[in-house]
Structure formats: C-alpha cells, structure tokens
Amino acid sequence: MHNHVILTGRLTHTPELRQTPSGVFVCKFSVAVQRKYNKNKAEQETDFIEIEAWRGTAEFVSKYFDKGDMIDIMGRLKTSRWKDENDKTHFETSVLVENVEFAPTNNRKPVENSPDTQTAAEAQAQDIPADFEDFEAISDSDYPF
C-alpha cells in the first residue's frame, strides 16, 4: 500500500509556528493548488489543501516561506476524526509533510548556457578557481533544518 502526496502550490497565508506542551514545533498552513484546465469552463479550479509540518521542517517553513510563495511538498495524507459537544463526528484530511522544497517562481524558459541552467557537474568540469575570501565558516547549529 502507498500513501504519497506531491503538491506544488502557493501558500494561502503566513505559516503559523507553534510549540506543543512538550516543546515540539508544529506549523500549519494551507496551499492553493490549481487543477488542470477544464475544457468546459473558462477558469482553472483551485483546491485548498491543509498542510501540517513538524519539528525542524516546521521551523524551516515558518522561517523561509510566506503568504503567496510557491512551495513543493512531499508527504502523506492524514485523516483526523473527533466528536464535538453534540456527539457529532467530524473528519479532517490534511497532508503531513515529509519533505519541502522551494518551487520555481515563474514560467520563464532557461537561457542556453546561462549559470541558471548549469548543473553542478558542468560547473565543476569547467575547473574555474573559486574565491572563498568572502565566505565565513558556520557550525552545524546554524543550519535551518
């Protein structure tokens, strides 16, 4: 059995970072994902997907993403069930994040031989000496993830 979700969309609001009573970070937000164009309608349809990230991923999302930003999300579906004070059962389905990445921000085509289109291997093959004078050393605790 498989439970894999891959989404690319825009954040509908600024991610909310909170901590559980035991100190674990959790971040909840929603992503607007457009469906493929429907021939019978003049506009694209959009789904609004609830997303939940935990621990370091939650901190990363809250630090580097904001309302309107494009985001790539890999995760799995999670369904929660609860009863309200009237004993009515409610269900909520969301995506539990396993990995998140920055998504492309526009649809421009890459220009041939521009630095944006070079792979790391191509750049290394050119054997251009690097100037590390402006770089500063960082420790493992400085990484956002």
Side-chain angles (χ1 to χ4, degrees):
M1 289 189 261
H2 298 281
N3 182 355
H4 300 282
V5 175
I6 300 173
L7 299 170
T8 299
R10 291 194 181 276
L11 275 75
T12 61
H13 58 83
T14 301
E16 303 169 21
L17 183 67
R18 296 180 294 141
Q19 271 186 299
T20 65
S22 61
V24 177
F25 287 107
V26 61
C27 182
K28 294 186 178 186
F29 55 99
S30 63
V31 174
V33 179
Q34 290 183 335
R35 287 191 221 153
K36 288 187 178 181
Y37 188 77
N38 185 339
K39 292 180 184 178
N40 299 329
K41 295 184 180 179
E43 298 178 10
Q44 289 184 337
E45 294 181 350
T46 304
D47 292 310
F48 297 91
I49 314 292
E50 295 299 316
I51 311 292
E52 189 174 305
W54 289 82
R55 297 177 179 75
T57 306
E59 292 179 275
F60 178 79
V61 169
S62 70
K63 184 173 182 177
Y64 293 103
F65 290 92
D66 201 359
K67 178 181 178 177
D69 288 345
M70 290 287 290
I71 190 169
D72 284 336
I73 296 170
M74 285 111 325
R76 60 185 170 86
L77 288 177
K78 173 187 142 190
T79 303
S80 302
R81 182 176 71 177
W82 72 94
K83 290 189 178 194
D84 64 15
E85 62 276 353
N86 298 325
D87 207 34
K88 181 177 177 183
T89 303
H90 297 270
F91 294 91
E92 179 183 71
T93 301
S94 61
V95 173
L96 185 59
V97 175
E98 293 172 354
N99 190 26
V100 65
E101 295 177 4
F102 296 100
T105 56
N106 59 32
N107 294 328
R108 72 178 165 91
K109 293 182 180 179
V111 178
E112 196 68 30
N113 295 326
S114 76
D116 294 342
T117 60
Q118 275 187 333
T119 65
E122 290 170 341
Q124 288 176 348
Q126 290 180 353
D127 200 25
I128 299 172
D131 179 13
F132 295 107
E133 189 172 307
D134 292 337
F135 285 82
E136 52 182 88
I138 59 174
S139 69
D140 287 347
S141 63
D142 293 330
Y143 291 114
F145 43 87

